[in-house]
Amino acid sequence: MEKKNKKDINRRDFIKIVGISAATSTALLYGCSSKNNSASSSATGEREIPTDKMTYRISPTTGDRVSLLGYGCMRWPLKPAPDGNGEVIDQDAVNGLVDYAIAHGVNYFDTSPAYVQGFSERATGIALSRHPRDKYFIATKLSNFSPDTWSREASLRMYHKSFTELQVDYIDYMLLHGIGMGGMDALKGRYLDNGMLDFLIKEREAGRIRNLGFSYHGDIEVYDYLLSRHDEIKWDFVQIQLNYVDWKHAKATNTRNTDAEYLYGELHKRGIPSIIMEPLLGGRLSKLNDNLVARLKQRRPENSVASWAFRFAGSFPDILTVLSGMTYMEHLQDNLRTYSPLEP
């Protein structure tokens, strides 16, 4: 498999990937049981997943045609380490998931130097580099959370390492990661006082970054401050937490959160596309109580509980893509059904 990682997927392999059925792919490729997965094939039936019906949205700044379903690479499947000490990323499983996603229209992959104990970018890069570069968009982040990475030198090392790990010479979507955590002091230390925001803007001008944005958690003052500079910076996108609970009741689930209605509204009035994280509220919206499940099933018997949350998140016009951390093939297949095409 190691040799195959370094080669492009050939046409025969691609056809095989497309032809994997919903019933066999989960059982044979990954052996994961539906009881461990919120978006199981038993919940959705075995309705065929089309390869040419994915819903796409167009970026107003670059014209990118982005799949409404985006692949969040924070929860890649793991396997026992060869030396018996802990776990490592299951690269064969990652390759299979990426191949299947691309074959069914997914083209947006979101990672970070901080994900999966620091190995997500490498695993994502191995899987994606087997496909033509124009078949996918890579999003990654300057995840300089720790104060020992706030210096310009340390932040630059992290930035340049992302290119090496992802095996690319440009990054499609680069994010300031998790602004709002730590308030204005952290924003100044991580991106302003060290000149990194100015550096990233220049990298966009040079073409090594195609779209520049940020992801938000926490202090709303930071969010509002960065949006107040939109005329100067010209943000290409912003990543926010949005789901049907957080739309009006974010504080009820996490006191650090701000209602998505406000977050999305501020972006909408500036014409900034939104990228959505946590459409399932950390998985909680796929595990509702029996009464709510019964009501949803009465309306759409063949659809999963999770599909309602994904449909909600995808229904807003200025949303570019909705991220899902799909560890198992069952999750991927269910979300593909929801967005191929989206029924708002």
Side-chain angles (χ1 to χ4, degrees):
M1 193 66 188
E2 185 175 344
K3 291 182 179 179
K4 189 172 182 180
N5 289 344
K6 299 176 182 178
K7 299 178 181 179
D8 289 343
I9 294 292
N10 62 37
R11 186 173 182 275
R12 181 180 299 173
D13 289 336
F14 190 82
I15 291 172
K16 286 180 181 177
I17 293 160
V18 173
I20 293 174
S21 73
T24 60
S25 58
T26 301
L28 295 182
L29 289 179
Y30 301 99
C32 55
S33 65
S34 61
K35 68 180 181 180
N36 293 325
N37 296 282
S38 59
S40 66
S41 56
S42 62
T44 61
E46 293 179 1
R47 180 162 53 89
E48 184 179 355
I49 304 169
T51 59
D52 60 349
K53 300 297 184 183
M54 173 59 65
T55 300
Y56 293 91
R57 299 278 169 80
I58 306 299
S59 166
T61 54
T62 58
D64 290 346
R65 184 171 178 262
V66 180
S67 58
L68 187 55
L69 177 60
Y71 215 122
C73 305
M74 189 171 69
R75 299 182 178 92
W76 283 134
L78 304 173
K79 65 180 182 179
D83 61 5
N85 184 22
E87 294 180 313
V88 296
I89 291 178
D90 186 340
Q91 188 65 53
D92 287 350
V94 173
N95 292 350
L97 289 164
V98 167
D99 296 347
Y100 193 89
I102 289 176
H104 289 79
V106 175
N107 64 9
Y108 189 97
F109 296 83
D110 170 87
T111 183
S112 157
Y115 292 169
V116 198
Q117 301 173 9
F119 295 105
S120 175
E121 281 188 325
R122 181 177 302 176
T124 304
I126 290 171
L128 287 174
S129 66
R130 297 153 53 253
H131 296 269
R133 183 65 178 90
D134 62 357
K135 294 296 184 183
Y136 56 87
F137 301 116
I138 287 181
T140 194
K141 306 170 183 74
L142 186 55
S143 306
N144 55 351
F145 296 114
S146 174
D148 61 13
T149 62
W150 288 7
S151 71
R152 184 179 179 87
E153 293 73 22
S155 294
L156 285 172
R157 281 195 299 272
M158 181 179 292
Y159 172 76
H160 290 300
K161 185 179 179 182
S162 291
F163 286 80
T164 301
E165 298 283 58
L166 292 168
Q167 303 183 40
V168 296
D169 54 12
Y170 64 89
I171 289 172
D172 298 287
Y173 291 79
M174 172 60 72
L175 294 88
L176 285 62
H177 194 181
I179 64 96
M181 294 188 291
M184 288 298 296
D185 288 343
L187 177 70
K188 291 175 182 176
R190 295 174 63 193
Y191 299 116
L192 303 184
D193 294 346
N194 60 11
M196 285 306 298
L197 176 55
D198 293 333
F199 169 80
L200 294 174
I201 292 171
K202 290 179 180 177
E203 287 291 277
R204 180 176 59 182
E205 293 171 357
R208 286 180 288 272
I209 293 172
R210 296 185 57 251
N211 298 271
L212 181 62
F214 61 87
S215 63
Y216 163 73
H217 295 278
D219 190 340
I220 194 62
E221 180 186 2
V222 184
Y223 183 84
D224 291 338
Y225 167 76
L226 288 179
L227 289 189
S228 74
R229 294 183 61 185
H230 176 54
D231 289 344
E232 165 201 354
I233 297 170
K234 294 179 171 52
W235 300 108
D236 296 296
F237 67 101
V238 172
Q239 188 164 307
I240 59 173
Q241 182 166 317
L242 183 151
N243 53 68
Y244 62 71
V245 172
D246 283 331
W247 184 251
K248 288 184 179 290
H249 305 287
K251 295 292 185 184
T253 58
N254 186 332
T255 56
R256 292 192 308 124
N257 287 348
T258 299
D259 286 351
E261 183 179 31
Y262 175 80
L263 300 176
Y264 176 81
E266 291 299 297
L267 299 176
H268 174 73
K269 70 186 184 183
R270 292 173 173 85
I272 304 173
S274 303
I275 290 176
I276 302 309
M277 55 186 166
E278 297 292 349
L280 286 179
L281 192 57
R284 281 176 280 183
L285 301 186
S286 65
K287 303 170 184 175
L288 304 179
N289 64 53
D290 291 345
N291 178 54
L292 291 176
V293 170
R295 292 173 66 185
L296 297 181
K297 286 295 182 181
Q298 185 178 22
R299 288 178 176 267
R300 300 173 72 93
E302 294 187 358
N303 293 122
S304 69
V305 172
S307 71
W308 287 83
F310 281 98
R311 286 176 58 220
F312 179 88
S315 294
F316 297 90
D318 290 343
I319 286 173
L320 196 60
T321 191
V322 179
L323 300 175
S324 179
M326 298 169 283
T327 308
Y328 301 108
M329 185 62 79
E330 293 177 55
H331 300 157
L332 173 57
Q333 290 172 334
D334 188 54
N335 293 339
L336 286 168
R337 290 186 184 95
T338 301
Y339 286 152
S340 299
L342 167 71
E343 183 181 337

